[in-house]
Amino acid sequence: MIAVTPQAAPQQLDRHPREKGSSMTLTAEVVSSTPAPRRPGSDPEGGDRAGAPTSVSKALQLLDAFRLAGPSLGVSELARRAGVPKSTAFRLLAYLEQGGYVERTGTDYRLGWRLFELGNRVHHCRPRGLRDLALPYLSELYVSTGNVVHLGVLEGNDVVYLEKIHGHRAVRTPTTVGGRMPAACVGLGKAILAFGDAGTARRVVSAGLERRTPYSIAEPGRFLNELGRVRTNGIAFDREEAALGLTCVAAPILVDGRAVAAISVSGSTTRFNPSVNAAHVRRAAAQISAEYAAAQAA
């Protein structure tokens, strides 16, 4: 509390006209200028745990905006995609840039190397992880078939691609490392779902089966029957269900009988030999399964 003595009051009030008044008035002004205590769980940016976005969530929204766009985006576009004010985006991007999570390219931003480093510490991508162990077998599979080779895992209702090997004359595929495709449309997804728990397959079906091409299986009963055939044969096919002109054969990577991932070979429908490619994929999947299971047990 600031107290003004009667003797000092006239002299101080002459120098500071805005402070005219009694000691009680000055004390009230000082108290009112002190910031109110922050509510437990609240965020300095105005968010709280009750549901309002925090600075952390807004920064994550900005990073996530690059997932379906880019590689470089301006502040206005990032703010629009993330659903945050432009001023907030500009300030948070400065922090992200300082941490190495984004980089400036002129007036635009792109993802930084720190995210690449973190991404390669993800469970299946770390040294001696699934991708590392599978890579020699995937390379051999590409050499023996000459077709596009994929390694993928199930994440939610989608397949996320961990690896892709292809040559100069490879057929075009709608896939990228780190990208996603609906699990029900691709051989990788069918192979994983067929050898996973029934609840996961039901969840994917309940979410709706996307019809990407006229050959996509969009009927729940028919799709579940397809998974039954995959379990019986140990192999899954995508016959132009993800993209026209593209055929794929896939097999699961199994640990204790459950699929943790799958590999596939994809090629042009007009030149693809299903039985020959299926034999190569089945063999490579068995080899990867054995080595990965051994590594998990070690």
Side-chain angles (χ1 to χ4, degrees), residues 63-138:
L63 291 176
D64 198 57
F66 286 98
R67 195 160 53 88
L68 299 176
S72 297
L73 294 170
V75 177
S76 298
E77 180 64 11
L78 281 167
R80 185 187 69 79
R81 288 177 175 272
V84 300
K86 183 177 177 180
S87 59
T88 299
F90 189 80
R91 182 175 47 76
L92 292 176
L93 285 166
Y95 286 117
L96 292 170
E97 182 183 8
Q98 185 178 6
Y101 299 100
V102 299
E103 298 174 347
R104 289 286 293 271
T105 55
T107 58
D108 291 348
Y109 293 84
R110 65 186 179 195
L111 296 178
W113 285 104
R114 181 62 58 85
L115 288 176
F116 177 79
E117 295 174 45
L118 288 175
N120 279 280
R121 304 305 298 178
V122 171
H123 177 58
H124 286 311
C125 298
R126 70 187 191 281
R128 297 299 295 168
L130 175 60
R131 186 180 67 179
D132 207 11
L133 294 175
L135 190 55
Y137 301 103
L138 300 179

Side-chain angles (χ1 to χ4, degrees), residues 16-211:
H16 303 285
R18 63 178 297 275
E19 295 179 356
K20 291 180 180 180
S22 67
S23 61
M24 181 74 76
T25 303
L26 271 175
T27 302
E29 288 180 357
V30 172
V31 171
S32 65
S33 66
T34 304
R38 193 156 50 89
R39 281 187 299 115
S42 66
D43 179 83
E45 292 302 314
D48 57 40
R49 294 175 189 154
T54 65
S55 292
V56 173
S57 66
K58 291 174 184 176
L60 292 175
Q61 288 165 215
L62 287 169
L63 291 176
D64 198 57
F66 286 98
R67 195 160 53 88
L68 299 176
S72 297
L73 294 170
V75 177
S76 298
E77 180 64 11
L78 281 167
R80 185 187 69 79
R81 288 177 175 272
V84 300
K86 183 177 177 180
S87 59
T88 299
F90 189 80
R91 182 175 47 76
L92 292 176
L93 285 166
Y95 286 117
L96 292 170
E97 182 183 8
Q98 185 178 6
Y101 299 100
V102 299
E103 298 174 347
R104 289 286 293 271
T105 55
T107 58
D108 291 348
Y109 293 84
R110 65 186 179 195
L111 296 178
W113 285 104
R114 181 62 58 85
L115 288 176
F116 177 79
E117 295 174 45
L118 288 175
N120 279 280
R121 304 305 298 178
V122 171
H123 177 58
H124 286 311
C125 298
R126 70 187 191 281
R128 297 299 295 168
L130 175 60
R131 186 180 67 179
D132 207 11
L133 294 175
L135 190 55
Y137 301 103
L138 300 179
S139 299
E140 292 172 359
L141 188 57
Y142 168 72
V143 171
S144 62
T145 65
N147 290 310
V148 180
V149 175
H150 291 109
L151 167 68
V153 296
L154 186 70
E155 207 282 318
N157 298 329
D158 299 328
V159 165
V160 175
Y161 291 85
L162 302 184
E163 191 59 84
K164 177 179 181 179
I165 301 177
H166 59 93
H168 294 293
R169 299 180 182 85
V171 62
R172 294 186 63 180
T173 61
T175 56
T176 58
V177 174
R180 292 171 175 261
M181 287 288 284
C185 293
V186 295
L188 291 172
K190 292 181 188 179
I192 297 172
L193 291 171
F195 287 89
D197 61 89
T200 302
R202 285 196 297 268
R203 184 195 70 217
V204 170
V205 170
S206 298
L209 301 175
E210 181 179 347
R211 189 182 292 280

